Amino acid sequence: MTLKVYNSLSGEKEIFKTLEDKKVKIYSCGPTVYDYFHIGNARAFMVPDIIKRYLTYKGYDVLHVMNFTDIDDKMINRANEEGISVQELANRFITAFFEDIERLNIRKADIYPKATEHIDDMIEMVNRLVEDGFAYESNGDVYFRVSKFSEYGKLSKKNLDDLVAGARVEVSDKKENPLDFVLWKASKDGEPSWESPWGAGRPGWHIECSAMSKRYLGEEFDIHTGGVDLTFPHHENEIAQSEACCDHKVVNYWLHNGYINIDGEKMSKSLGNFFTTREILNKYPAEVVRFFLISNHYRSPINFSDQELDNSAKSLNKLENTVNKIDSLLALEVVAGDLSGAELLSVYQEKKEKLIEAMDDDFNTALAIGVLHELAKEVNRFVNNPTFELTAEVKVSLEKIKGLFDNFAKDVLGILVEKKEGNNDLVDPLISLLLDVREKSRQNKNYQLADEIRDRLDELGIEVKDTPQGAEWSLK
RNA sequence: GGCGGCAUAGCCAAGUGGUAAGGCAGAGGACUGCAAAUCCUUUAUUCCCCAGUUCAAAUCUGGGUGCCGCCUCCA
């Protein structure tokens, strides 16, 4: 059982090998904090979350860094529109960011460095590049000299001639070559700026990730994640800067997630056809949104629509029903009998192996969800059989299967959440009392009262199901 | 124009050489006081088209068609 990951750099699935034994260092491109993030961003945040959760399951120690871009043109423009400082703007949307990812059950990164707090690191890096001839100053700007870095284009599989032929690059008198990109830009009046060897200015976009990943993860680390659109130019430039600086490979595995499309078209802020994650979370339960985001392989594009979300809700609900059923059974006393737990035990073994195999194959969450459904189906078939009885042996097997749901549905995929947390010592006995009364009415064929109890509990958000083992209830 | 990716049932979707997972929707049946939940049967002789390699191809090769993305801020 070996983990394989698709590396954008090689274009192939590779066996995953860490630099340090059982330790993984991950850097992810985070948001520019000038607005609420959209559902496409949510996917980009979900990918490292899944990777971290699974690597943790496999026994790795994970160190995860995600940056906040809190200074760039968009930040400055938006702050001016709102009449607040860039920093106030950043603080507002960093707070919102944490609120939204928490609802999505995305676990926090270990470190969230801000660009504005690492200007010195960036200046130092740019300085080094200038000294080594990889960069040049021009009227207060500093540009990266692309022609000097012979491997430029290795990530996005482009060569310099093709790029020039495309030539939608901004032409500037300040640049030696249209493909050169800015590392440091001289500030205009009224813009936030920092002192540097080249005068007052602010960093270019790409340099922050090179500087901050180096600061927190070192000159070499395992995984770098981001959306496919960052492949070029952002990550290509990042490679150029970082590798020119330290003269060796910096990132071992580049992982890129696919887009979220709207009606088959890319969703983006510039096209205007986007939804903020916040809007969507106000319309759908967060676990449904999460389920939707991981119901395809992370590299495939996914199409966003109400129909897809409804589909996800139903698919997830099916798994929840089975887990609730198992919980109800585990709360009961065992009965004497000779029903063997062996069949369930072999189902447990088989599905566990399939789940690991799925996640080992480049984090195939879509396949893993399919396996969870297979598992649910086997359990349902078994416990709904007329000859079913909860023997001690059966209960032990069910506990193991519950553990599998806990490991994969709850911990690794994060799609099942505890819903009964609000209960206290009073609620359970009270509901049991009501259900006992209802059961007596049913035995007396007083179905009107029985149904009224069920309906009124339903209004309170408590769903009641009658089963051969008695009534079961769960919070909706 | 250059580069990259994708094409699997009504819909979503997994599957990279061994005879098509899973979910949703549909049809029929079982269980139930009624519900809910669940189960069973059924829905792709076939994976965009053509040719080739192979005992064997959805999977590999060549050609074609269609769609998408990147080359510009973007997850």
Side-chain angles (χ1 to χ4, degrees), chain A residues 404-442:
Chain A
L404 206 51
F405 276 110
D406 280 348
N407 281 155
F408 283 89
K410 210 172 113 205
D411 296 339
V412 172
L413 298 178
I415 48 177
L416 289 183
V417 290
E418 300 288 346
K419 282 190 173 178
K420 293 195 174 182
E421 74 243 354
N423 290 352
N424 57 41
D425 294 343
L426 197 54
V427 173
D428 285 4
L430 271 175
I431 293 178
S432 294
L433 173 72
L434 277 169
L435 291 181
D436 281 349
V437 173
R438 177 167 173 272
E439 186 53 34
K440 291 210 169 71
S441 324
R442 290 181 71 215

Side-chain angles (χ1 to χ4, degrees), chain A residues 58-298:
Chain A
K58 302 249 321 171
Y60 288 92
D61 236 351
V62 181
L63 179 61
H64 183 215
V65 177
M66 179 181 274
N67 68 296
F68 287 132
T69 300
D70 59 350
I71 177 69
D72 79 336
D73 289 346
K74 293 191 294 290
M75 292 292 302
I76 293 169
N77 293 340
R78 181 62 61 92
N80 288 339
E81 285 168 25
E82 306 270 326
I84 57 176
S85 73
V86 166
Q87 195 171 11
E88 281 175 287
L89 182 75
N91 288 340
R92 180 188 299 175
F93 288 109
I94 285 171
T95 303
F97 167 85
F98 284 122
E99 288 167 2
D100 289 346
I101 65 162
E102 188 181 345
R103 289 176 73 183
L104 285 170
N105 199 14
I106 290 173
R107 291 184 183 160
K108 280 190 176 185
D110 299 286
I111 307 168
Y112 286 99
K114 293 175 192 161
T116 55
E117 291 173 2
H118 295 81
I119 302 290
D120 289 347
D121 290 330
M122 296 184 226
I123 289 174
E124 190 186 317
M125 199 170 223
V126 175
N127 229 343
R128 174 92 184 260
L129 289 169
V130 172
E131 280 170 14
D132 293 349
F134 283 106
Y136 55 92
E137 190 266 337
S138 172
N139 284 327
D141 291 349
V142 181
Y143 294 95
F144 188 90
R145 186 175 277 129
V146 165
S147 60
K148 174 94 175 164
F149 186 72
S150 61
E151 290 184 302
Y152 193 79
K154 67 176 173 181
L155 178 68
S156 54
K157 320 275 189 285
K158 296 176 191 303
N159 64 57
L160 297 185
D161 294 339
D162 292 341
L163 285 165
V164 174
R168 280 202 278 172
V169 193
E170 186 193 353
V171 183
S172 163
D173 296 343
K174 294 180 179 176
K175 295 184 191 175
E176 291 177 2
N177 180 323
L179 296 176
D180 291 348
F181 57 91
V182 71
L183 297 169
W184 185 264
K185 34 170 94 171
S187 57
K188 299 176 191 129
D189 285 345
E191 285 181 355
S193 67
W194 290 263
E195 277 310 313
S196 81
W198 317 283
R202 58 187 170 95
W205 172 40
H206 313 296
I207 194 71
E208 65 174 81
C209 290
S210 288
M212 294 192 286
S213 64
K214 185 181 171 194
R215 158 72 55 190
Y216 294 102
L217 298 177
E219 286 197 351
E220 228 181 331
F221 56 95
D222 301 291
I223 297 176
H224 195 306
T225 73
V228 272
D229 51 339
L230 294 184
T231 310
F232 191 91
H234 184 56
H235 292 158
E236 194 68 62
N237 292 352
E238 209 180 312
I239 288 176
Q241 295 159 350
S242 295
E243 297 192 1
C245 237
C246 65
D247 209 28
H248 59 72
K249 190 173 180 184
V250 171
V251 175
N252 275 340
Y253 303 93
W254 285 91
L255 273 55
H256 290 103
N257 62 274
Y259 285 123
I260 290 184
N261 294 326
I262 303 289
D263 298 325
E265 261 206 326
K266 169 186 169 179
M267 163 160 75
S268 74
K269 289 191 176 176
S270 53
L271 288 176
N273 63 340
F274 70 95
F275 299 98
T276 65
T277 302
R278 194 159 273 221
E279 284 175 81
I280 289 166
L281 286 175
N282 289 336
K283 208 170 153 191
Y284 292 92
E287 63 269 25
V288 170
V289 178
R290 183 177 174 100
F291 186 94
F292 166 73
L293 289 171
I294 64 170
S295 60
N296 284 29
H297 187 93
Y298 77 89

Side-chain angles (χ1 to χ4, degrees), chain A residues 319-336:
Chain A
L319 293 178
E320 285 169 343
N321 284 332
T322 300
V323 173
N324 286 341
K325 177 75 187 174
I326 294 173
D327 282 342
S328 303
L329 289 172
L330 290 181
L332 298 176
E333 296 297 319
V334 296
V335 300

Side-chain angles (χ1 to χ4, degrees), chain A residues 3 49-60 355-361 363 408 411-412:
Chain A
L3 175 62
D49 183 52
I50 293 287
I51 291 172
K52 275 156 56 181
R53 285 163 174 267
Y54 186 58
L55 289 175
T56 303
Y57 170 82
K58 302 249 321 171
Y60 288 92
L355 283 165
I356 291 171
E357 212 175 300
M359 292 305 289
D360 269 350
D361 186 12
F363 311 103
F408 283 89
D411 296 339
V412 172

